[in-house]
Amino acid sequence: MIAIFLLFILVLAIFLGFELIAKVPSTLHTPLMSGSNAISGITIVGALIVTGRSGSETATIILGTLAVAFATINVVGGYLVTDRMLAMFKKKY
Amino acid sequence: MIAIFLLFILVLAIFLGFELIAKVPSTLHTPLMSGSNAISGITIVGALIVTGRSGSETATIILGTLAVAFATINVVGGYLVTDRMLAMFKKKY
Amino acid sequence: MEHIVELCYIVAAILFILGLKMLGSPATARRGNMISSLGMLIAVVVTLCHRDVVSFQWIVIGAIIGTIIGALAARLVAMTAMPEMVALFNGFGGIASLLLGWGEFHGGGAVSWFKLLPIAFAVLIGGLTFTGSLIAYGKLTGKIETKPVLFPGQQVVNAFLLLAAIVCTALYCSGSASGAQYQIFIVIVVLSFIFGVLAVIPIGGADMPVVIALLNSYSGLAACAAGFVILNNVLIVSGALVGASGIILTKIMCKAMNRSLANVLFSGFGGATTAVGGTTEGGEVRPITAEDAYYVLEAAGSVVFVPGYGMAVAQAQHAVRELGELLEGNGTEVRYAIHPVAGRMPGHMNVLLAEANVSYDQLVEPEDVNPAMETVDVCMIIGANDVVNPAARDDESSPIYGMPIIEVDRAKTTIVLKRSMAAGFAGIDNPLFFKENNRMLFGDAKSSISTLISEFK
Amino acid sequence: MEHIVELCYIVAAILFILGLKMLGSPATARRGNMISSLGMLIAVVVTLCHRDVVSFQWIVIGAIIGTIIGALAARLVAMTAMPEMVALFNGFGGIASLLLGWGEFHGGGAVSWFKLLPIAFAVLIGGLTFTGSLIAYGKLTGKIETKPVLFPGQQVVNAFLLLAAIVCTALYCSGSASGAQYQIFIVIVVLSFIFGVLAVIPIGGADMPVVIALLNSYSGLAACAAGFVILNNVLIVSGALVGASGIILTKIMCKAMNRSLANVLFSGFGGATTAVGGTTEGGEVRPITAEDAYYVLEAAGSVVFVPGYGMAVAQAQHAVRELGELLEGNGTEVRYAIHPVAGRMPGHMNVLLAEANVSYDQLVEPEDVNPAMETVDVCMIIGANDVVNPAARDDESSPIYGMPIIEVDRAKTTIVLKRSMAAGFAGIDNPLFFKENNRMLFGDAKSSISTLISEFK
Ligand SMILES: NC(=O)c1ccc[n+]([C@@H]2O[C@H](COP(=O)([O-])OP(=O)(O)OC[C@H]3O[C@@H](n4cnc5c(N)ncnc54)[C@H](OP(=O)(O)O)[C@@H]3O)[C@@H](O)[C@H]2O)c1
Ligand SMILES: NC(=O)c1ccc[n+]([C@@H]2O[C@H](COP(=O)([O-])OP(=O)(O)OC[C@H]3O[C@@H](n4cnc5c(N)ncnc54)[C@H](OP(=O)(O)O)[C@@H]3O)[C@@H](O)[C@H]2O)c1
């Protein structure tokens, strides 16, 4: 049953994603690319759970820590770089 | 946990609904109104389950049958009337 | 099996979504509606295969009755009676949610607040939608007083009832009144009916389209609540889609009328205003005969028709189309400028003109026609009033100030077709009628246009 | 507690959605990005409060390393190096999904196919995204051969590897190879890496932006798969949003280049084409000196700048802005026409001009500037080539026929700034250069414009 719910959520999110992104003007496509890239760093949530679980083997912890590090680069780098770009988009009067 | 999933689905569907409907041009607002009204007849699914369950009391069955009848009017009437309207929207060349 | 049923529900939801998406363009709208109905069919068929559903006798009876009534109603209704038809269907959706909730409660499946609360919501919203829609139907067909019904202490009564509903719901959900739970439930049902009536009677008949859109949204919410009652995904998704759609339509209408939703719901608009109608001040009015109007049209290089509520009253859409074709045959460029709230429901004019077979690419929106209005030779205003009132643009003290209009007063010539100098829906003067380049062609729109047509032939 | 965590995940998902929505307009985009990052923060914090997460030592180490690297990279990267930066970050997202899947598998929580299959997907897509992104990064920075690397039998090798991956995944999920399951898992990991390499090496360096958008979409799918591994809503929703975004961007780019995705991925475009570059036929070319160009600009009432990849190469955006301001001071109307695929990534020109402080309301799209092109006095084409090639409109035999262009050839005068008669990205002739009303201002765009600026002062 959980699988059904997750599938339903997936389907809705895909439709929503298409509707949202199709509206972004080409002006903003580069920041959109890096901004959505940052969102894909959400795997960090999974990495945290795998790493932080009690009683894991060393190998699991190493894998988890690497996952945390890489996902963090993706998240932090992605958001910061997007912000840097967007900070430049200004309207003058 | 199921409540959480359902809530998540609700939230996504609301966002999706707003994105979808906001794009409909005013030309089509009347058919949109009756078309979405027909969709709200989806309660028929619930009505069917309540009515068709085994070993229900008479009162439940009466309530369910009424629900089925009303929901069917909503569904059948709504879709047909929308179709009648939309059949008139034509482009001439 | 269970899983297949659920997967089919997902498919049904996808079809609803695709259907709504395709309703976004006239070219695909009809197919969109069919796809949406296919989704409904799948949802129904699959539910009948559900393991819980074992006895079909009553289902068949209910479904047959519903199908006959629904199909007949959809067939027989006149295009001009669309608003009231939608209101009625909408009410039926609401009562279905209420009955579903009641059946589930009576069936006794409900013990925890987790189930009782959604039932209470389904009943409250469903019942309110039902009676509210019935009142709206009555007002639109003129079967009940269309003027706002206001009585002293109305707000107090409303507040008291709201409190009662909250208390009842709390008692009922907490289960602390176990002996009287059924009685309390009935009270909630009755309260929901009263709510619907009280919410709609203070609203004027002309504001009913807004009310219908809002009630449409409520029927979606009721379906959502019903979805939480029987823990069903597809009800929740469809309900949310409908809820969103109703709210957006409400917002669009309020914005186009330049009024807040609160103003529509609570102000009793349309009660006092009828008195203001039919004023005279403002200058000289220049009437024109159909014959003279013919000469003006005959010489025009470009004509824009601006239809309004009067075209619906006069049922003049076919005549208008015929006139338009004659003009085109004469080498005149013909367009139809449609204001989003012309008429009495959103997209009203579009439906009427579509019925009369006007190609939808001849219809233009105010934003597209306004900028080049100076180049238009003749604007024919057919039973429109508020939507072409320049006071909305110029007169800050006007109640409709700020409402976007079709700026026909900037065209070279305007001809207004109406029966009298009476005001329109908003009940206010229209300075356009007194402009120097405006002519009034008095009389029923349909007969005026028929005369024009006969001049052309 | 559990429920609160899940509710917070819903909030995080809502913030992502709102953030993406706000990215839809330049005025709100920055706030949208912040809202999205707030969602991420909430998701992370709440996960740390999750009852399963008990030891923090390694988490802190990983997070600190990641934050330092990420922040430094984001700080130090030059605006022109954005494409490769995004590629790199993207690859890191992919490897994180792979490692997460691996950790979960190693942790032994996985026994049923219901868990094993998502792990296999997370690993396959994550690994492919990782190596593919690294190759794309290498190609963009010129660290590896940018030309398509094609070898005989490539398709056969790919098909064989795909088959191997399917077989391994099936074996691994069915659990029928219980003794060798770990070995099979490692084979899947290796295969995923090989896939990424093989998928990207046959694609030319200039097509990398499309590849990056596609890999971006894959990293979203990997996150989705990871979400199914740990049964987490927010991963699924965010992954789906990113997946959709990547696919739409890919589609937009392909459409603007008038090529199919299959053509981009498999045709080895850009390998042969460089040879075609620098042709001569087509008529007489009229060079112009900066001084003469100054007189033309000085006399112009309206000027449209059309930047292209050459502006990025020459880093001329600041000079362009300065020239634009001088012209405005001179009473000339100045606009910037931006083609969606000018440059080497979608929106490339917008970012550069924004960096140079050009107000975004001076930027216009092709659809807006084309209709009134006849009224433009001078079009300054700054290192653009394919996006202004009239062959795309007129010459059915041209490989770019059908691609929408900025129709500068219809302007009164055009001045093209480039270094030679060499072709652009598509490697084809540009008839524009031989038109009578066109002048070529040869030389590096930045120095040409600087000369123009000094003339103005
Ligand atoms: N569309 C919606 O969704 C919606 C919803 C709620 C409210 N409204 C409101 O409705 C109004 C719509 O504006 P509108 O310009 O379309 O209409 P209007 O302002 O209500 O004016 C209609 C005019 O038509 C004339 N008329 C009536 N019957 C006629 C006939 N048989 N032949 C010729 N003329 C006839 C009337 O004048 P005579 O009596 O002199 O003939 C009247 O002035 C707006 O104020 C809008 O805010 C619209
Ligand atoms: N934006 C995207 O997302 C994307 C993605 C993939 C592919 N593409 C493709 O990339 C192309 C973009 O078109 P485009 O018109 O922007 O560029 P282009 O057609 O590639 O032409 C760029 C021109 O700039 C000139 N140039 C290079 N360096 C210069 C310098 N320092 N100073 C002056 N001129 C210089 C080059 O000529 P010289 O060598 O003679 O100076 C060249 O002809 C399209 O074909 C598009 O399909 C775009």
Side-chain angles (χ1 to χ4, degrees):
Chain A
M1 200 55 197
I2 285 190
I4 294 286
F5 281 121
L6 292 178
L7 200 63
F8 217 136
I9 289 173
L10 176 67
V11 167
L12 290 175
I14 289 175
F15 273 105
L16 186 56
F18 274 105
E19 292 301 322
L20 287 175
I21 308 294
K23 271 193 198 150
V24 177
S26 60
T27 322
L28 289 167
H29 278 166
T30 298
L32 170 66
M33 213 150 146
S34 69
S36 66
N37 183 237
I39 294 181
S40 77
I42 186 73
T43 25
I44 191 169
V45 165
L48 292 176
I49 294 179
V50 169
T51 316
R53 248 186 318 228
S54 66
S56 296
E57 275 180 64
T58 321
T60 308
I61 291 182
I62 293 177
L63 289 169
T65 308
L66 282 175
V68 170
F70 279 118
T72 311
I73 297 180
N74 190 354
V75 169
V76 174
Y79 279 118
L80 285 182
V81 102
T82 310
D83 188 63
R84 229 185 100 193
M85 261 187 271
L86 289 173
M88 299 178 325
F89 279 79
K90 274 185 230 101
K91 194 165 176 174
K92 287 186 303 185
Y93 285 104
Chain B
M1 200 55 198
I2 284 190
I4 294 286
F5 281 120
L6 292 178
L7 200 63
F8 217 134
I9 289 173
L10 177 67
V11 167
L12 290 175
I14 289 176
F15 272 105
L16 186 55
F18 274 105
E19 292 300 324
L20 287 176
I21 307 294
K23 272 193 198 151
V24 177
S26 60
T27 321
L28 289 167
H29 278 165
T30 299
L32 170 66
M33 213 150 146
S34 70
S36 67
N37 182 239
I39 294 182
S40 78
I42 186 72
T43 26
I44 191 171
V45 165
L48 292 177
I49 294 179
V50 169
T51 316
R53 249 189 316 230
S54 67
S56 295
E57 273 181 64
T58 320
T60 309
I61 291 182
I62 293 177
L63 290 170
T65 307
L66 282 175
V68 170
F70 279 118
T72 310
I73 296 180
N74 189 356
V75 169
V76 174
Y79 279 119
L80 284 183
V81 100
T82 310
D83 187 64
R84 226 184 104 193
M85 261 187 271
L86 289 174
M88 300 179 324
F89 279 79
K90 274 185 231 102
K91 196 166 176 173
K92 287 186 304 183
Y93 284 107
Chain C
M1 193 58 216
E2 182 72 346
H3 279 328
I4 294 178
V5 169
E6 292 293 334
L7 284 178
C8 287
Y9 283 154
I10 296 187
V11 172
I14 292 177
L15 292 178
F16 289 148
I17 292 168
L18 288 179
L20 280 180
K21 213 172 145 64
M22 290 169 77
L23 264 180
S25 137
T28 56
R30 194 172 181 200
R31 213 138 37 84
N33 188 53
M34 286 175 187
I35 286 187
S36 161
S37 65
L38 179 66
M40 187 64 76
L41 186 67
I42 291 179
V44 168
V45 169
V46 123
T47 306
L48 293 176
C49 304
H50 194 283
R51 70 187 143 91
D52 282 357
V53 179
V54 288
S55 73
F56 292 96
Q57 182 189 359
W58 292 101
I59 289 180
V60 171
I61 292 176
I64 288 180
I65 295 175
T67 306
I68 292 175
I69 299 180
L72 280 184
R75 269 284 136 116
L76 301 179
V77 62
M79 273 304 142
T80 38
M82 248 346 133
E84 43 268 41
M85 195 78 256
V86 172
L88 212 54
F89 287 156
N90 204 29
F92 292 165
I95 189 78
S97 293
L98 181 144
L99 291 168
L100 163 65
W102 193 344
E104 190 73 11
F105 175 66
H106 191 92
V111 278
S112 75
W113 70 268
F114 180 64
K115 190 133 202 176
L116 290 170
L117 190 62
I119 288 183
F121 273 119
V123 166
L124 275 174
I125 307 177
L128 182 160
T129 307
F130 178 58
T131 50
S133 298
L134 287 188
I135 301 281
Y137 172 79
K139 290 211 175 202
L140 280 171
T141 51
K143 295 210 173 91
I144 32 179
E145 177 57 59
T146 57
K147 283 206 196 123
V149 177
L150 301 161
F151 55 85
Q154 204 160 16
Q155 309 301 352
V156 181
V157 173
N158 287 344
F160 173 76
L161 288 174
L162 186 65
L163 194 73
I166 294 174
V167 171
C168 286
T169 308
L171 274 178
Y172 152 83
C173 290
S174 70
S176 61
S178 48
Q181 199 185 24
Y182 213 112
Q183 283 84 328
I184 293 178
F185 180 80
I186 299 293
V187 173
I188 294 180
V189 172
V190 172
L191 276 178
S192 79
F193 287 153
I194 298 178
F195 267 131
V197 175
L198 285 185
V200 181
I201 51 163
I203 304 175
D207 271 337
M208 279 308 123
V210 186
V211 173
I212 294 176
L214 197 64
L215 289 172
N216 192 7
S217 164
Y218 287 169
S219 75
L221 296 185
C224 255
F228 277 94
V229 172
I230 59 166
L231 297 179
N232 186 306
N233 280 322
V234 75
L235 258 73
I236 294 177
V237 171
S238 329
L241 292 175
V242 177
S245 137
I247 286 180
I248 288 188
L249 286 178
T250 310
K251 229 174 76 181
I252 289 174
M253 272 189 272
C254 287
K255 203 170 143 197
M257 296 194 294
N258 202 32
R259 286 164 62 198
S260 72
L261 182 56
N263 178 288
V264 171
L265 296 183
F266 305 121
S267 73
F269 195 87
T273 44
T274 351
V276 189
T279 92
T280 40
E281 55 145 345
E284 198 190 340
V285 163
R286 296 172 191 76
I288 191 174
T289 62
E291 197 181 5
D292 289 343
Y294 163 70
Y295 290 121
V296 174
L297 285 175
E298 221 259 310
S302 65
V303 171
V304 170
F305 287 100
V306 183
Y309 180 57
M311 184 177 86
V313 176
Q315 291 275 25
Q317 62 270 32
H318 296 278
V320 169
R321 195 251 311 140
E322 200 181 340
L323 180 60
E325 282 177 356
L326 285 172
L327 285 169
E328 280 190 318
N330 201 20
T332 312
E333 186 206 10
V334 174
R335 283 172 303 165
Y336 300 80
I338 313 287
H339 192 279
V341 294
R344 287 293 178 271
M345 83 186 251
H348 200 167
M349 296 300 119
N350 299 90
V351 172
L352 293 180
L353 290 176
E355 186 197 0
N357 243 327
V358 174
S359 169
Y360 62 73
D361 50 3
Q362 280 188 306
L363 311 185
V364 290
E365 312 216 351
E367 307 86 89
D368 299 328
V369 75
N370 277 343
M373 192 55 92
E374 277 88 0
T375 65
V376 173
D377 290 328
V378 182
C379 267
M380 290 279 281
I381 294 121
I382 301 165
N385 190 340
D386 300 338
V387 300
V388 295
N389 190 336
R393 187 191 57 213
D394 304 328
D395 177 5
E396 289 195 33
S397 68
S398 168
I400 61 167
Y401 180 71
M403 158 171 156
I405 56 161
I406 301 180
E407 304 183 355
V408 293
D409 57 317
R410 286 170 41 232
K412 289 185 194 141
T413 317
T414 49
I415 301 179
V416 174
L417 281 73
K418 66 199 295 282
R419 296 163 308 182
S420 65
M421 288 301 290
F425 169 70
I428 54 167
D429 264 359
N430 192 336
L432 171 74
F433 302 160
F434 308 104
K435 290 241 165 167
E436 212 167 320
N437 58 349
N438 177 61
R439 297 289 175 278
M440 304 294 293
L441 181 48
F442 287 115
D444 177 74
K446 189 169 180 183
S447 56
S448 298
I449 294 181
S450 303
T451 320
L452 272 174
I453 291 176
S454 56
E455 293 279 344
F456 261 92
K457 280 178 177 164
Chain D
M1 192 60 215
E2 182 71 346
H3 279 329
I4 294 178
V5 169
E6 292 293 335
L7 283 178
C8 287
Y9 282 154
I10 295 187
V11 172
I14 292 177
L15 291 177
F16 290 148
I17 292 168
L18 288 178
L20 280 180
K21 212 171 145 66
M22 290 170 75
L23 263 180
S25 137
T28 56
R30 193 173 182 197
R31 214 141 34 86
N33 187 54
M34 286 177 187
I35 286 187
S36 161
S37 66
L38 179 66
M40 188 63 78
L41 187 68
I42 291 179
V44 168
V45 169
V46 124
T47 307
L48 293 176
C49 303
H50 194 284
R51 70 188 143 91
D52 282 357
V53 178
V54 289
S55 73
F56 292 94
Q57 183 188 358
W58 291 101
I59 288 179
V60 170
I61 292 177
I64 289 179
I65 296 176
T67 306
I68 292 175
I69 298 180
L72 281 183
R75 268 283 133 115
L76 301 178
V77 63
M79 273 304 143
T80 39
M82 243 352 129
E84 43 266 43
M85 195 78 254
V86 172
L88 212 53
F89 285 155
N90 204 30
F92 292 165
I95 189 79
S97 293
L98 183 145
L99 291 167
L100 162 65
W102 193 343
E104 190 73 10
F105 174 67
H106 191 93
V111 278
S112 74
W113 69 267
F114 182 65
K115 191 133 203 177
L116 289 170
L117 190 64
I119 290 183
F121 273 119
V123 167
L124 274 173
I125 307 177
L128 180 161
T129 307
F130 178 57
T131 51
S133 299
L134 287 188
I135 302 281
Y137 172 79
K139 289 209 176 205
L140 281 169
T141 52
K143 293 209 174 93
I144 33 178
E145 178 57 57
T146 57
K147 286 212 191 109
V149 176
L150 300 161
F151 55 85
Q154 202 158 15
Q155 309 301 355
V156 180
V157 173
N158 286 346
F160 173 77
L161 287 175
L162 186 65
L163 194 73
I166 293 172
V167 170
C168 287
T169 307
L171 275 178
Y172 151 83
C173 289
S174 69
S176 61
S178 48
Q181 200 186 23
Y182 214 110
Q183 283 84 330
I184 293 177
F185 180 80
I186 298 294
V187 173
I188 294 179
V189 172
V190 173
L191 276 177
S192 79
F193 287 154
I194 299 179
F195 268 131
V197 175
L198 285 185
V200 181
I201 51 163
I203 304 174
D207 272 336
M208 280 308 123
V210 186
V211 172
I212 294 177
L214 197 63
L215 289 172
N216 193 6
S217 164
Y218 288 170
S219 75
L221 296 184
C224 257
F228 278 94
V229 172
I230 60 167
L231 297 179
N232 186 305
N233 280 324
V234 73
L235 257 73
I236 293 177
V237 171
S238 330
L241 292 175
V242 177
S245 135
I247 286 181
I248 288 190
L249 287 178
T250 310
K251 231 175 72 182
I252 289 174
M253 271 189 272
C254 288
K255 203 170 145 197
M257 295 194 293
N258 201 33
R259 286 165 62 199
S260 72
L261 182 57
N263 178 288
V264 171
L265 296 183
F266 305 120
S267 75
F269 196 86
T273 44
T274 351
V276 189
T279 91
T280 42
E281 52 142 347
E284 200 190 339
V285 163
R286 297 171 189 75
I288 192 174
T289 62
E291 197 181 5
D292 290 341
Y294 162 71
Y295 290 120
V296 175
L297 285 176
E298 222 258 311
S302 67
V303 171
V304 170
F305 287 101
V306 183
Y309 179 59
M311 184 178 86
V313 177
Q315 291 275 22
Q317 63 269 33
H318 296 278
V320 170
R321 195 253 310 142
E322 199 180 339
L323 180 60
E325 282 177 356
L326 285 172
L327 284 170
E328 280 190 317
N330 200 21
T332 312
E333 185 206 9
V334 174
R335 282 171 304 165
Y336 299 81
I338 314 286
H339 192 281
V341 295
R344 287 292 178 272
M345 85 186 248
H348 199 165
M349 296 300 118
N350 299 89
V351 173
L352 292 179
L353 290 175
E355 186 197 359
N357 242 328
V358 174
S359 169
Y360 60 74
D361 50 4
Q362 281 188 304
L363 311 185
V364 290
E365 311 217 352
E367 306 87 89
D368 299 327
V369 74
N370 278 342
M373 192 55 92
E374 276 87 1
T375 64
V376 173
D377 290 329
V378 182
C379 267
M380 290 280 283
I381 294 122
I382 302 166
N385 191 339
D386 300 338
V387 300
V388 295
N389 192 337
R393 187 192 56 212
D394 304 327
D395 177 4
E396 290 197 30
S397 67
S398 168
I400 61 168
Y401 179 70
M403 157 171 157
I405 57 161
I406 301 180
E407 303 183 355
V408 293
D409 57 316
R410 286 170 40 229
K412 288 185 193 142
T413 317
T414 49
I415 302 179
V416 175
L417 282 73
K418 66 199 296 281
R419 297 164 308 182
S420 64
M421 287 301 290
F425 169 70
I428 55 168
D429 266 0
N430 193 336
L432 172 74
F433 302 161
F434 308 104
K435 291 241 163 164
E436 214 168 317
N437 58 349
N438 177 61
R439 298 289 175 276
M440 305 295 293
L441 181 47
F442 288 114
D444 176 74
K446 188 169 180 180
S447 57
S448 297
I449 294 180
S450 303
T451 320
L452 272 173
I453 291 174
S454 56
E455 293 279 343
F456 262 93
K457 278 173 176 165

